Structures are given as structure tokens and as C-alpha cells.
Amino acid sequence: MTITFITGANKGLGRETARRLIESGHTVLVGARDREQGEEAAAALGARYVPIDVTDDASVAAAAADVAAHEGRIDVLINNAGVHGPVGDPGDLTAADARAVLDVNVIGVVRTTAAFLPLLRRSDDPAIVNVSSGMGSLALTHDPARPESRVIVPLYTSSKAALTMLTTQYAKGLKDIRVNAADPGYTATDLNGHSGFQTVTEGTDAIVALATEGPGAGTGRFVSRHGDIAWS
């Protein structure tokens, strides 16, 4: 039985990923900061709720200890928790704004990955899926034919660019673990006020594909629902 831990799994892409993976036979651990929402999601999906705030060292350590005590290992870690940050004029940004976004979208991934590595290394086929975005791609955000080029979200885009590079570095350095990034595409979620043109199911296609690959699948890849995309 594949055991999968998902951060930010109480709603949106995280919750739909959990639903689909449970449907495919995974044991899913719903990680969420909000206990009420996390417990509701877990009960509705048939999962187990694990409290986790990816911005808090003690909370992440406690979550890893909880999983170690109950499941003993995980096979897949999905770093999905993310925040959007300010939209529009970059001249209005503050250091506090930047800290808040990066602490979830980048530092939170480092914090969570570090805590869960011992549990992943107890798996016969460990994998990490980082939920990134085409909004962090230099190529896509400079292509006028793409919707990514028409949005100014300075901190979100910067954080996702950092996350994609972080993914390649983990993939190179963690030889015993597959580490890949997923681009969900422009999906209707709370993060964008449900303005995306994709359904939440379509938005989880790449995440689910990476989470369900078998042994020997590639590492260091950036994948959308249409297939592998270039690191640019």
C-alpha cells in the first residue's frame, strides 16, 4: 500500500489530489494547518488528518513524528501548500509580504522535506512531488500567447521559480528519491478566486501522474497535464 502525505490537503488541488489517490488505492494523510478543515476533509475522503503548519518548525517536526508513530514511513510526499501573495504593482511590496509568501512556498518545502526524509527513506520507492507553477517559468511568462504572461503576481511567480530550481537541486542531490515538480495549469481554486479555466480535477492530473509513477520513472522533471515541459 502506497502511503502519501499531502500538505495543504484540506481544499483545492490538495484535496482533489487526495481524493484521486485514495481512489487509486493510496493511503493518504491529509496535512493541513486548520484542524477543523483538515478533519472535515479527512473524514469526507476516508483519510487520516495530520496537523501541520509548514511555516513552523515545531509543527512540521510534530507532524513527522505523528506519521512515524502511526504509519512508520511514507512513499510519496506532495508539497502542495501554497499562498498567492499580492497582485499588481511591485512598487507596493514590503519585506513582510515577501517573507510571508516565501516562508510557505519555498522555505516551507525545505522545512517539510527535511523533516520527512527519514520516513521517505524507509520506502522501497520514495518520491517527492513539488507543486510548482508555469507562473514561475521565464519562457511561459514571456510568451504573449500564454495566460501566464498577462498576470503580475511578483512574489508568487518568484517563489515558484525558486521552487522549480530547488526541485532540480533535490533531484541531483537525493539520488535515492525521485523528485519532480508539477505545473497544475490555470485552475479554478480559492488561490485565484476561482478564475482559472481548468477544473480542479484537470489541475491535479500532473500531480497524480507523478505520485503514481512506478519504480524507475525519471527524476528532476517539470510536468504538466500535457507532459514534460522544459526547465525555463
Side-chain angles (χ1 to χ4, degrees):
M1 181 74 72
T2 301
I3 302 171
T4 299
F5 186 92
I6 309 172
T7 64
N10 56 295
K11 62 181 180 178
L13 293 171
R15 181 170 179 148
E16 179 64 3
T17 298
R19 184 193 69 79
R20 293 182 65 182
L21 290 178
I22 290 168
E23 192 174 74
S24 74
H26 285 219
T27 293
V28 171
L29 306 175
V30 167
R33 179 175 55 183
D34 185 288
R35 177 173 292 276
E36 184 177 350
Q37 292 183 20
E39 289 179 343
E40 182 279 323
L45 295 168
R48 188 171 81 81
Y49 168 60
V50 178
I52 185 170
D53 177 349
V54 301
T55 69
D56 183 85
D57 288 342
S59 174
V60 173
D66 180 302
V67 176
H70 288 86
E71 286 77 22
R73 74 169 204 280
I74 61 169
D75 302 290
V76 182
L77 171 64
I78 301 179
N79 287 308
N80 168 74
V83 294
H84 199 265
V87 177
D89 187 357
D92 294 331
L93 295 177
T94 67
D97 292 332
R99 191 176 299 111
V101 173
L102 293 172
D103 202 19
V104 177
N105 295 3
V106 182
I107 300 169
V109 171
V110 174
R111 186 179 282 118
T112 303
T113 301
F116 280 82
L117 274 176
L119 294 169
L120 282 163
R121 287 189 164 123
R122 296 177 188 173
S123 170
D124 293 331
D125 183 36
I128 297 171
V129 180
N130 292 327
V131 180
S132 189
S133 172
M135 292 291 291
S137 163
L138 296 178
L140 297 186
T141 55
H142 284 80
D143 181 350
R146 297 282 306 204
E148 291 91 344
S149 71
R150 299 189 288 274
V151 183
I152 301 175
V153 196
L155 297 175
Y156 181 79
T157 54
S158 300
S159 71
K160 292 304 183 180
L163 181 57
T164 54
M165 180 56 76
L166 185 65
T167 300
T168 67
Q169 295 297 296
Y170 274 132
K172 290 177 181 180
L174 300 177
K175 303 296 187 183
D176 53 339
I177 301 173
R178 288 196 312 280
V179 188
N180 294 296
D183 171 20
Y186 194 27
T187 303
T189 67
D190 287 352
L191 201 67
N192 55 40
H194 294 271
S195 61
F197 54 79
Q198 289 185 160
T199 67
V200 73
T201 300
E202 291 171 328
T204 56
D205 282 348
I207 306 169
V208 171
L210 288 171
T212 55
E213 290 181 317
T219 191
R221 295 149 55 212
F222 192 17
V223 178
S224 76
R225 65 189 298 257
H226 304 293
D228 287 17
I229 56 180
W231 286 107
S232 60

